[in-house]
Amino acid sequence: MKKYLILFLLVISVTAGAQSIKGKVCFAKDKSPVQFATVGLLQLPDSTMITGVISLTDGGYLFEKVKPGNYFMKVSFVGYKTNGKEVVVTQDPAVITVDTIFLKEITTSLNEVTVTAERIKGKEMVDRTVYAIPEVIAKSSSNGYDILKKIPQVNVDFQNNITLNGSSNFIIQVDGRQRDRDYLNKLLPSDIQSIEIISNPSGKYEGNIDGVINIILKKEARYGMNGNAGLSYKPFNKPTTQATGSLDYAMGKITCYITGFYFSQTLRINSSTLNNFKMTDSTSNMSGKGGIKMPGWSVNTGFDYYMNDHNNMSFNISYKPMNQNIDITGGTFLLKNNIPLNTVSSLIANNMHSDETSASLFYKKTFNQPVQEFTAESNLYWFKSNSGNNFTNTTYLYDTDTQTGSYARTEDDLNQRNYFSVKLNYVQPLGMSAKIESGYQLYNQQMSYLFNINHQESANIFDYNEFRNSVYSGITVNVKKIGIQAVLRIENSHIKADSVTQPNYTCFLPSANLQYKFSASHNLKFTYNRRINRPGIYDMDPYYKVGENYDVTQGNPNLKPDYRDRLQLTYTWNFGSNYFSPYVYKEFYSNRIGKEYQLITSPITGSLATLTKSFNLLSGYETGGGVNTMLWYVNINARIYNGHINEYIGQSQTIPALDYFSYSITSYAFAPLDKKKKTTAFVFMSYNGISRSAQSKTYSIPFYGIGCQKQIKDHNIGVFWLLPGSKNINFQKVVTETPSFDSRNITGFDVSNFIMFNYSYKFNKGKNVKKIDHKVDVESDSKSQAIGK
């Protein structure tokens, strides 16, 4: 009994002598908090490392159960000088508050010229990579797109189309709230503190996305007015115009804003289609020229309201109309046994108009305990589109003016989609080294289709309704050099629609990250995730569409979701101001949507025609590797892979198994031309190898361009030249091979003198105090067929 009493008293004495140390890390230049800085607790006088933590979103850190003694708080962050403070821990007080530790950018003096850190370096976390944005990079950029061009893993092409690790299936967030990509035009680079890349999204996110780009803004709000404006113009050979503008007005706790975007592109295009029907030894060869015009604009407005230090909310409403008009004059030769029989003259007009409206409300509550927070978000979305396909065909005897027939057809495809969603999320810290996170989402969408032929209303309307409940929960733990995150998301869907054979289903979507830090510069990470992709509004459109060649296309309302399981091993090395990250991966996929091509009797001509219909016909696996790197001023993203598609046995045909191989590379290089970094030259290059489906191959050409930009105070001017010296190019070629027919489709456009001039201006007429992000965005159905989109 005496022995246990002594042990109890020892425990009490040790516990009573354990104190807590808390503090904050900020940037020296603007006093904004430093997120994800490494804070080490060192024992003095021998500087033995006791433990370490990562600073939180507000720059704060906390050490618990620290024994009395002399210590040194050592803080490091990529691109900044290491700094720290000494602290003496005694029996009293129980919580010791350390003065704020400020970090300065790394600078060196070479021949009396000061050189500041001017390249972006990455810091690996268990679930993301964080890139701090140096001031010199912000000053040399005009908007959010320019910043992203310099981030490893991210590629931005000449029309601001973005890919993340080669995929366009990702979301953009600002301070953790989803954003439209056009919103990047609005962001002032000087407002951006860091950019987080999440390559393996946890169950917190929708089960269908491949990645997240989260832009962290400096925690400032403004009194007064600020904004920016930009204009890009291509004056030669069919003009293209892009204009952006934004305006904020802050009144202390409330900030109101409005942003706008306008885009108009006109191109000369050409296309050719060659169909060879093997069963009848007949061929159709069509070629045409014309133009495409795509005007569109968007506007969004709302407010952000800081109620107090622990509560804030925001509201946003946006409207995005879009138009696309294609006019082509074409000619088709019909051959039998290689002998010309007829020619067909075609006048083609394809028009599409869509309207997209969304409204969102977001609320966030934080607590006194670091990391602990609760968020709630609701979204309303309305979308409708009207696609018109019009053509007139006139048939002649070959090489004569003798008309043998004519046919005209007008198709109107009316689609609507509405949805409502609610998201709830809660984070609970477990000390300073772990946290649990859980959430719930309600999602309800309705889709409807109405199809008219020659302006005659169709009797059958297809309606689709889905009600989905999702829950997730997971834990994140960081223990010295090891980080672990494991999350499980469960989604249950109830579907009410015609011709759907699987109306209800439940899916389990696990994800996991395992990280080992060899040192501050070397990191190894293993990731696993399971993803789901659901068919979209255009995939399920059940009506037959007839083209000018009398080919028929049809959606499939009975499509099922497809699933992907991916394992990846990534190594990261930071050296100097460079970032090098190779990786290897293995992915298994099932029920991926693909196109099945069949021969049918044309409902119009009675001759053979092709039917293209969507099915869940792709299952198999893919193995590959790649590298994401930022070497000096060159950003490179490259990937090489091979895969296998399993045999598909359908109702009408069997598609044999096949193997495929491909690769891709994108790069953006920039270099300052003067000592003050006010003038920058850059080069862009992108190439994708062959894209393989079950019965078709898609070929594309390399894209490249050169340009430069000059900063003059708050003004930025620049020029970009796409494919210098090129004229008419074949942008894309699709080759289809089936047992009964072969086809080849080529699409091209005229890039002669594709030179764009850019101008931007930013202003700030107020006082900086605090900053909150704007606009929660939502899913989008708007289509854009600008080059590269």
Side-chain angles (χ1 to χ4, degrees):
M1 181 67 181
K2 183 178 179 180
K3 180 172 64 174
Y4 292 111
L5 179 60
I6 293 174
L7 180 60
F8 175 74
L9 291 175
L10 285 173
V11 172
I12 293 295
S13 64
V14 171
T15 304
Q19 312 299 94
S20 296
I21 303 175
K22 70 176 184 178
K24 191 172 184 179
V25 184
C26 291
F27 293 108
K29 185 172 184 63
D30 57 11
K31 307 302 186 291
S32 62
V34 180
Q35 183 182 15
F36 301 128
T38 300
V39 184
L41 180 65
L42 279 64
Q43 178 83 55
L44 294 179
D46 57 1
S47 297
T48 302
M49 173 67 75
I50 304 300
T51 185
V53 297
I54 301 298
S55 62
L56 307 174
T57 56
D58 62 352
Y61 61 87
L62 175 67
F63 292 100
E64 296 179 310
K65 299 180 180 180
V66 180
K67 297 179 181 180
N70 297 329
Y71 298 91
F72 184 79
M73 315 300 299
K74 182 180 179 181
V75 180
S76 60
F77 189 70
V78 176
Y80 289 78
K81 287 184 178 180
T82 299
N83 197 7
K85 289 184 180 294
E86 291 188 20
V87 58
V88 178
V89 177
T90 59
Q91 296 287 349
D92 190 42
V95 179
I96 300 172
T97 301
V98 181
D99 291 340
T100 300
I101 299 174
F102 294 99
L103 300 182
K104 296 181 179 180
E105 285 189 275
I106 296 173
T107 61
T108 57
S109 181
L110 299 176
N111 298 327
E112 299 182 353
V113 177
T114 299
V115 180
T116 305
E118 56 191 31
R119 294 188 290 276
I120 297 173
K121 296 178 67 176
K123 184 176 181 64
E124 289 294 334
M125 313 298 294
V126 65
D127 62 338
R128 67 195 64 203
T129 305
V130 182
Y131 300 95
I133 307 302
E135 182 181 4
V136 67
I137 292 292
K139 285 185 176 180
S140 64
S141 305
S142 58
N143 54 37
Y145 283 110
D146 279 349
I147 293 288
L148 287 181
K149 290 175 182 177
K150 300 159 187 175
I151 300 294
Q153 307 179 60
V154 180
N155 177 255
V156 183
D157 72 6
F158 67 98
Q159 286 195 314
N160 288 337
N161 300 309
I162 306 173
T163 56
L164 175 60
N165 293 320
S167 171
S168 59
N169 185 30
F170 66 93
I171 61 173
I172 291 176
Q173 296 182 330
V174 176
D175 285 338
R177 301 169 212 186
Q178 199 167 326
R179 295 291 181 272
D180 187 274
R181 301 183 189 190
D182 295 339
Y183 186 78
L184 293 171
N185 280 305
K186 176 204 176 304
L187 292 177
L188 297 176
S190 58
D191 286 346
I192 300 175
Q193 176 176 305
S194 61
I195 294 179
E196 301 175 353
I197 302 298
I198 303 175
S199 300
N200 184 37
S202 70
K204 174 182 177 179
Y205 302 96
E206 295 286 348
N208 63 330
I209 64 170
D210 293 330
V212 180
I213 299 175
N214 186 26
I215 299 172
I216 305 298
L217 301 182
K218 296 175 181 177
K219 307 306 179 193
E220 302 172 343
R222 295 186 173 96
Y223 286 90
M225 186 176 296
N226 70 91
N228 63 12
L231 176 67
S232 298
Y233 184 63
K234 180 176 79 73
F236 312 114
N237 188 25
K238 298 291 186 180
T240 293
T241 304
Q242 178 177 303
T244 61
S246 69
L247 189 66
D248 291 15
Y249 185 72
M251 300 167 287
K253 291 186 175 182
I254 299 179
T255 300
C256 301
Y257 62 90
I258 184 170
T259 67
F261 172 78
Y262 172 78
F263 176 83
S264 177
Q265 184 177 60
T266 305
L267 292 172
R268 291 189 178 97
I269 61 174
N270 58 81
S271 66
S272 64
T273 301
L274 175 65
N275 290 323
N276 178 28
F277 301 97
K278 301 176 182 179
M279 296 175 59
T280 58
D281 198 16
S282 56
T283 304
S284 66
N285 191 348
M286 181 269 183
S287 61
K289 295 183 178 181
I292 180 171
K293 185 174 183 181
M294 295 165 290
W297 58 277
S298 67
V299 62
N300 73 82
T301 184
F303 68 85
D304 300 313
Y305 176 38
Y306 275 101
M307 291 172 274
N308 52 53
D309 289 340
H310 292 291
N311 298 274
N312 64 75
M313 65 179 296
S314 61
F315 174 77
N316 172 265
I317 187 167
S318 66
Y319 176 61
K320 181 190 292 185
M322 183 177 293
N323 293 280
Q324 179 176 281
N325 305 305
I326 301 175
D327 296 292
I328 296 177
T329 300
T332 303
F333 294 95
L334 303 179
L335 301 90
K336 178 75 171 180
N337 298 322
N338 292 323
I339 300 174
L341 299 179
N342 302 99
T343 58
V344 180
S345 176
S346 302
L347 297 175
I348 307 162
N350 296 324
N351 307 300
M352 189 275 290
H353 173 79
S354 66
D355 287 295
E356 181 180 297
T357 305
S358 64
S360 62
L361 181 66
F362 182 90
Y363 169 75
K364 180 178 180 179
K365 179 177 178 61
T366 59
F367 301 85
N368 291 328
Q369 192 172 4
V371 179
Q372 185 182 12
E373 68 177 34
F374 169 77
T375 59
E377 179 183 337
S378 63
N379 294 292
L380 282 171
Y381 176 83
W382 303 268
F383 173 82
K384 62 179 181 179
S385 68
N386 186 350
S387 301
N389 176 32
N390 312 298
F391 67 88
T392 300
N393 285 349
T394 304
T395 305
Y396 302 88
L397 290 176
Y398 178 73
D399 206 22
T400 72
D401 294 328
T402 304
Q403 181 176 330
T404 61
S406 65
Y407 179 79
R409 183 180 177 94
T410 299
E411 296 178 346
D412 293 306
D413 193 12
L414 310 175
N415 301 320
Q416 292 188 10
R417 177 176 179 242
N418 309 314
Y419 78 77
F420 169 73
S421 70
V422 174
K423 300 178 182 179
L424 304 175
N425 182 66
Y426 177 72
V427 182
Q428 175 64 47
L430 303 175
M432 289 297 292
S433 60
K435 68 177 181 179
I436 57 173
E437 189 169 7
S438 300
Y440 166 76
Q441 180 180 353
L442 178 150
Y443 181 90
N444 180 237
Q445 70 167 336
Q446 300 86 35
M447 292 186 285
S448 64
Y449 306 85
L450 176 62
F451 186 64
N452 299 333
I453 301 175
N454 295 332
H455 306 295
Q456 300 296 315
E457 185 171 338
S458 176
N460 54 336
I461 299 176
F462 179 78
D463 291 312
Y464 180 96
N465 184 289
E466 180 187 9
F467 185 82
R468 188 189 314 158
N469 286 283
S470 304
V471 295
Y472 79 90
S473 185
I475 185 169
T476 303
V477 180
N478 287 282
V479 182
K480 295 183 179 180
K481 293 185 176 184
I482 298 176
I484 301 172
Q485 183 188 61
V487 183
L488 176 63
R489 182 182 179 95
I490 304 174
E491 297 185 349
N492 177 261
S493 294
H494 297 267
I495 299 173
K496 182 180 179 181
D498 298 332
S499 305
V500 175
T501 59
Q502 190 178 350
N504 305 316
Y505 62 91
T506 299
C507 59
F508 295 84
L509 306 174
S511 64
N513 296 311
L514 176 61
Q515 177 193 30
Y516 182 78
K517 297 179 181 178
F518 297 98
S519 66
S521 301
H522 298 268
N523 174 86
L524 190 66
K525 187 185 295 184
F526 172 78
T527 61
Y528 164 75
N529 65 60
R530 181 172 173 82
R531 292 279 176 259
I532 181 175
N533 280 330
R534 294 177 174 85
I537 185 172
Y538 298 102
D539 295 318
M540 295 188 295
D541 191 337
Y543 300 107
Y544 288 95
K545 315 292 174 55
V546 179
E548 62 276 1
N549 286 331
Y550 306 120
D551 52 310
V552 180
T553 59
Q554 183 188 24
N556 186 354
N558 198 37
L559 289 173
K560 300 177 179 64
D562 72 73
Y563 296 92
R564 292 169 293 135
D565 292 89
R566 183 182 179 102
L567 300 98
Q568 181 167 312
L569 184 65
T570 305
Y571 170 74
T572 301
W573 178 27
N574 282 287
F575 58 100
S577 294
N578 304 289
Y579 176 89
F580 179 72
S581 181
Y583 64 90
V584 292
Y585 72 91
K586 182 84 171 185
E587 182 174 278
F588 301 88
Y589 52 87
S590 61
N591 288 329
R592 184 177 293 177
I593 297 173
K595 303 294 185 181
E596 182 179 307
Y597 301 90
Q598 307 173 20
L599 276 184
I600 62 170
T601 301
S602 170
I604 297 172
T605 64
S607 58
L608 287 179
T610 61
L611 169 64
T612 305
K613 187 174 181 178
S614 299
F615 287 94
N616 297 102
L617 53 80
L618 299 175
S619 294
Y621 59 84
E622 186 173 286
T623 305
V627 63
N628 299 304
T629 182
M630 186 73 179
L631 300 176
W632 291 274
Y633 296 101
V634 183
N635 185 1
I636 301 173
N637 306 293
R639 181 169 70 107
I640 185 170
Y641 57 94
N642 61 69
H644 175 82
I645 299 176
N646 298 335
E647 181 185 47
Y648 169 76
I649 301 177
Q651 296 179 350
S652 59
Q653 62 177 297
T654 297
I655 302 175
L658 61 89
D659 296 317
Y660 60 90
F661 168 83
S662 193
Y663 55 90
S664 65
I665 182 171
T666 58
S667 180
Y668 177 83
F670 63 99
L673 300 180
D674 59 350
K675 293 180 180 180
K676 294 184 177 181
K677 314 297 188 297
K678 298 291 185 180
T679 304
T680 305
F682 58 89
V683 178
F684 162 80
M685 189 275 289
S686 176
Y687 177 66
N688 291 311
I690 301 172
S691 176
R692 195 70 165 92
S693 186
Q695 294 179 294
S696 64
K697 300 177 183 178
T698 301
Y699 301 82
S700 59
I701 66 167
F703 271 81
Y704 58 90
I706 58 175
C708 65
Q709 59 184 29
K710 172 75 174 179
Q711 182 185 359
I712 306 174
K713 294 184 178 180
D714 291 329
H715 305 265
N716 195 300
I717 58 176
V719 62
F720 175 75
W721 190 0
L722 175 68
L723 297 173
S726 300
K727 295 183 179 180
N728 290 298
I729 64 169
N730 292 328
F731 169 62
Q732 188 179 79
K733 179 175 71 173
V734 180
V735 177
T736 303
E737 298 175 341
T738 75
S740 54
F741 83 98
D742 298 332
S743 73
R744 183 191 66 198
N745 178 267
I746 299 176
T747 303
F749 70 101
D750 187 358
V751 294
S752 302
N753 298 317
F754 201 108
I755 303 174
M756 295 199 71
F757 298 92
N758 308 300
Y759 168 77
S760 63
Y761 169 70
K762 54 187 177 183
F763 65 91
N764 182 10
K765 304 298 182 181
K767 179 175 63 174
N768 295 343
V769 180
K770 201 176 225 182
K771 179 76 178 174
I772 189 172
D773 57 292
H774 298 159
K775 184 175 175 287
V776 177
D777 194 46
V778 291
E779 299 173 14
S780 175
D781 294 293
S782 295
K783 280 189 171 182
S784 174
Q785 294 186 7
I787 300 302
K789 289 190 176 181

